Amino acid sequence: STREIKGMLPLVFSLTEELLQAAAGIMFLDRRTPGIPKCYLHTRSNTSFSDYQALRRQQKKFICREPVIINDYQRHADSLPDLVKSGVTGIISCPMTLNKKQIGSLSFFSLDSENIFDDQDLTALQIISRIMTQTIEYRRSSHQYRLSKRAIDAVLYANPALDASLNLQSVLSSLLTAALNLVPANRSHIFFYSRGRLSFGAALDQYGRTDTTYSKPRENGLTYMVARSGKTKIITDMKNDPLFKNAPKDWHGSIVSIPLKIGERVVGVMNISRPKPGPFTRDAIRIWNLFSNQAAIAIENARLFEAERKQNERIEALRSAVTVINSSLDLSEVLAFILTELRRVIPYDSASIMLIDGDRLRVVGGRDLPDREIIGKSFLSNELDQEMAATQKPLIIEDAREDERFLGWGGTDYVRGWLSVPLISKEKMIGYITLDSRSPGAFSQDDAEIATSFAHEAAIAVENATLHEKLKDKLRDLQESRDQLFQSEKLAAIGRLVAGVAHELNNPLTSIIGIAQILQTYEVNHEISDYLESLVKEAHRTANIVRSLLDFARQHKPKKEVIEIHQVLKSVF
């Protein structure tokens, strides 16, 4: 028959009950099969048996491993007194077995002590059991085939999109779309899992794709639990599940969380949810689990390709930074270029470079800082840089608004995600680079490793610039010393010249003074006497000038002496 098995069961049981002259029958299956009840009860229309509850309560006791006939049930069935009260006098049972594998059992009951089951009844029941077992297994296999085909078709549908691009975001879009198309759902999102940490990949809902997470995964939440255990977890009602005890109030409905694994290694988690509570079918879970293997491989390939691309960008950016460092000794120019190249591999909203100056931090470089006048200013050292100085390791703050250490900066309310890497020179921290983001959780350990490479180059630039400044200072001191030496040599030459000139001048001056003083001994008129007096005075003044030149040439230390100022004034007139 092409009819559904569930629709055929009443007729099959009615015919079997008529054949065996039984009043009721029960079929119990070991596992669920789509479209077939796990436990099916039936009674003949013309029988007085009506105690269905007794059968339901004792259903598992009717599972038999071997064919059996009991024709004196009331005498031997102490374990099932409820059936005795219902008038059951005999039981005939047969296991439902195919290829030595039992899937359930069939049992029929008699209410007439004169109706005795015999071997022919048992043979007939075995034939019926075999046919029913084959039909049920065929239906189960057909259903599994359809499910597998559906999953394979979905994977094949997704494959062209996955193979057409190794761009991670394109791959994520294809995976999310396929996941919702496989089994109807309202929302799906993917998280990456690496080094024990989850990072957001992408999400898709009825409004389209979004690249921002609905909520940050909680350490004790569903997604982390699945990532760490590697096992699928189904939540039929978030409101009443302990995992969502402290979840936001607007979280409701049902969700399934599936690990994305390559072998035993978890590379991500895919969450699929619906706004209404309720169970997911086993078929839906099976399809998603089959699809998750393809998703894991696609994500891993795209991430490896993305990692290689980023590594190439990182190498190129570092190469450019090194080129600038080797070609320029202008510190501000080099640091600005380093921040520009760093942005190529780590997106940030603003950045700064600070150097330690005693117990203060001096801002020597920056990019897109809200306060453009901050470069050149200094700030008191705080707990953050002290922690980095002690560990000499990068520091990541997921959300600066929730970290008391960061609040001490002031004027940084716009900062959410924060990354700082130390500048190390000669095993000592001389400063650090800070990267700011307006989004919480913007930076990862991978970002910290990349930024550390740039910090190493920045430290070299600072060291080179410092050495260059020191060299310039020494050259300037050397130039001054050389100028002083030249000046001393000039003064020595002038001294020798002055000494010779003074010697030559002193002789005629001595003669002039001597002759003038002799002439003063003669009686001359008053006018000539005044001229002689002036002649002697000017000769003495000239001698004093020559003596002063000799003192200058000999570079004697200045000498102080008391003078009569009115005598100096009188000598002028």
Side-chain angles (χ1 to χ4, degrees):
S1 175
T2 58
R3 289 188 295 177
E4 292 291 332
I5 294 179
K6 186 176 181 181
M8 292 189 297
L9 288 177
L11 178 59
V12 172
F13 269 74
S14 293
L15 292 172
T16 306
E17 288 161 354
E18 184 177 351
L19 174 67
L20 301 176
Q21 293 299 303
I26 182 171
M27 179 182 70
F28 184 80
L29 301 178
D30 291 347
R31 56 182 177 176
R32 293 188 179 277
T33 300
I36 306 174
K38 189 173 183 180
C39 179
Y40 178 75
L41 300 174
H42 187 271
T43 59
R44 294 178 72 178
S45 59
N46 59 350
T47 184
S48 60
F49 184 82
S50 60
D51 196 352
Y52 295 102
Q53 296 302 321
L55 290 178
R56 289 188 180 279
R57 287 194 300 270
Q58 307 297 334
Q59 55 181 311
K60 290 186 178 180
K61 293 188 177 181
F62 301 131
I63 299 176
C64 61
R65 303 303 175 188
E66 298 291 338
V68 62
I69 296 175
I70 302 176
N71 282 319
D72 193 6
Y73 180 75
Q74 292 184 335
R75 179 181 298 178
H76 301 94
D78 295 337
S79 61
L80 299 172
D82 290 344
L83 292 184
V84 175
K85 293 178 182 179
S86 300
V88 173
T89 59
I91 298 178
I92 184 171
S93 297
C94 178
M96 301 175 70
T97 306
L98 183 66
N99 298 327
K100 298 182 180 181
K101 181 180 180 181
Q102 184 172 350
I103 68 167
S105 60
L106 280 173
S107 299
F108 287 87
F109 310 95
S110 173
L111 300 180
D112 185 356
S113 59
E114 295 182 359
N115 179 33
I116 299 175
F117 297 119
D118 56 23
D119 290 342
Q120 289 184 342
D121 293 330
L122 190 58
T123 300
L125 183 58
Q126 286 177 308
I127 294 173
I128 294 171
S129 172
R130 188 182 305 113
I131 295 172
M132 290 185 67
T133 302
Q134 290 175 343
T135 305
I136 290 172
E137 280 300 292
Y138 173 76
R139 180 56 53 88
R140 190 198 308 271
S141 299
S142 298
H143 181 75
Q144 295 300 332
Y145 170 76
R146 289 194 300 272
L147 288 179
S148 298
K149 185 176 183 302
R150 185 177 177 184
I152 291 171
D153 288 344
V155 171
L156 291 176
Y157 171 79
N159 262 337
L162 298 178
D163 294 338
S165 173
L166 282 173
N167 179 273
L168 182 59
Q169 297 307 316
S170 298
V171 169
L172 291 176
S173 293
S174 299
L175 290 175
L176 292 171
T177 301
L180 294 184
N181 289 338
L182 283 171
V183 179
N186 298 83
R187 175 184 293 173
S188 64
H189 52 277
I190 291 175
F191 286 90
F192 305 131
Y193 187 65
S194 178
R195 299 180 182 179
R197 302 299 301 173
L198 286 167
S199 59
F200 179 72
L204 183 69
D205 57 19
Q206 64 269 31
Y207 302 109
R209 174 175 166 165
T210 177
D211 292 320
T212 57
T213 179
Y214 298 113
S215 177
K216 179 182 175 182
R218 297 164 296 147
E219 286 287 344
N220 58 347
L222 172 67
T223 309
Y224 262 113
M225 184 188 75
V226 171
R228 290 163 180 161
S229 67
K231 297 180 180 179
T232 298
K233 179 70 176 177
I234 304 168
I235 306 294
T236 57
D237 188 357
M238 292 189 224
K239 288 290 186 183
N240 298 319
D241 194 279
L243 279 174
F244 292 87
K245 182 178 180 181
N246 299 319
K249 294 182 179 180
D250 60 343
W251 286 21
H252 54 80
S254 54
I255 185 170
V256 56
S257 186
I258 303 170
L260 306 179
K261 299 195 296 183
I262 298 178
E264 294 301 318
R265 180 169 60 93
V266 178
V267 300
V269 176
M270 180 169 61
N271 294 332
I272 303 170
S273 60
R274 299 181 303 203
K276 293 183 179 180
F280 293 92
T281 65
R282 298 179 70 179
D283 296 339
I285 301 302
R286 183 172 179 271
I287 291 174
W288 279 326
N289 280 330
L290 288 173
F291 179 70
S292 68
N293 296 328
Q294 177 73 8
I297 295 172
I299 288 175
E300 185 73 355
N301 289 341
R303 292 190 72 186
L304 289 174
F305 180 79
E306 185 75 6
E308 182 179 359
R309 183 185 64 80
K310 287 187 175 180
Q311 179 69 8
N312 290 335
E313 287 185 355
R314 173 187 175 185
I315 293 172
E316 179 60 26
L318 275 173
R319 187 193 64 78
S320 299
V322 171
T323 300
V324 171
I325 290 172
N326 292 333
S327 62
S328 175
L329 289 172
D330 187 323
L331 182 60
S332 60
E333 177 186 346
V334 171
L335 295 182
F337 189 82
I338 286 176
L339 292 180
T340 299
E341 293 300 302
L342 186 56
R343 179 175 264 171
R344 287 174 53 186
V345 290
I346 306 178
Y348 61 79
D349 291 319
S350 59
S352 63
I353 298 179
M354 300 184 180
L355 296 181
I356 296 174
D357 187 5
D359 62 346
R360 301 183 72 84
L361 297 169
R362 181 165 51 88
V363 182
V364 295
R367 175 73 64 188
D368 296 331
L369 294 168
D371 183 4
R372 297 183 179 180
E373 304 297 326
I374 197 173
I375 297 178
K377 294 182 179 179
S378 61
F379 303 88
L380 283 173
S381 174
N382 64 10
E383 185 179 350
L384 287 174
D385 56 86
Q386 292 169 6
E387 179 177 337
M388 278 194 296
T391 63
Q392 293 192 356
K393 293 182 179 179
L395 182 61
I396 299 174
I397 295 180
E398 295 288 330
D399 193 343
R401 292 184 184 176
E402 299 177 1
D403 196 305
E404 293 183 357
R405 298 171 300 172
F406 192 85
L407 298 178
W409 285 107
T412 54
D413 295 340
Y414 67 96
V415 178
R416 300 296 300 274
W418 190 73
L419 168 63
S420 181
V421 290
L423 303 177
I424 307 297
S425 177
K426 299 177 181 178
E427 299 183 355
K428 180 181 179 182
M429 192 176 92
I430 61 173
Y432 52 82
I433 298 176
T434 66
L435 305 181
D436 311 322
S437 175
R438 289 178 169 81
S439 300
F443 304 111
S444 65
Q445 288 296 331
D446 290 339
D447 295 331
E449 292 179 6
I450 295 172
T452 299
S453 300
F454 281 84
H456 175 70
E457 301 302 327
I460 293 175
V462 171
E463 185 175 3
N464 288 346
T466 302
L467 291 175
H468 179 64
E469 288 297 322
K470 289 181 178 179
L471 181 60
K472 285 172 60 178
D473 291 342
K474 288 183 178 180
L475 288 174
R476 185 166 49 250
D477 293 342
L478 182 61
Q479 183 66 39
E480 291 177 356
S481 298
R482 188 179 66 176
D483 292 343
Q484 290 178 358
L485 180 60
F486 287 162
Q487 185 67 21
S488 298
E489 291 178 352
K490 288 180 181 179
L491 291 175
I494 292 173
R496 289 192 295 272
L497 175 62
V498 168
V501 172
H503 178 71
E504 295 298 327
L505 286 177
N506 275 335
N507 289 333
L509 285 174
T510 301
S511 299
I512 291 171
I513 293 171
I515 293 172
Q517 288 177 343
I518 292 173
L519 291 175
Q520 284 180 326
T521 60
Y522 293 100
E523 290 187 5
V524 293
N525 59 37
H526 181 70
E527 184 177 0
I528 292 174
S529 178
D530 290 341
Y531 287 149
L532 290 173
E533 181 67 28
S534 296
L535 180 61
V536 172
K537 186 185 298 183
E538 292 302 319
H540 280 295
R541 190 167 71 85
T542 301
N544 289 334
I545 292 173
V546 171
R547 192 179 300 111
S548 297
L549 286 174
L550 284 173
D551 291 339
F552 174 75
R554 293 168 185 160
Q555 295 186 355
H556 291 165
K557 292 183 179 180
K559 182 177 64 174
K560 296 179 181 180
E561 61 180 12
V562 178
I563 61 171
E564 294 290 342
I565 190 65
H566 63 278
Q567 293 294 337
V568 175
L569 293 175
K570 284 177 64 178
S571 66
V572 175
F573 299 102

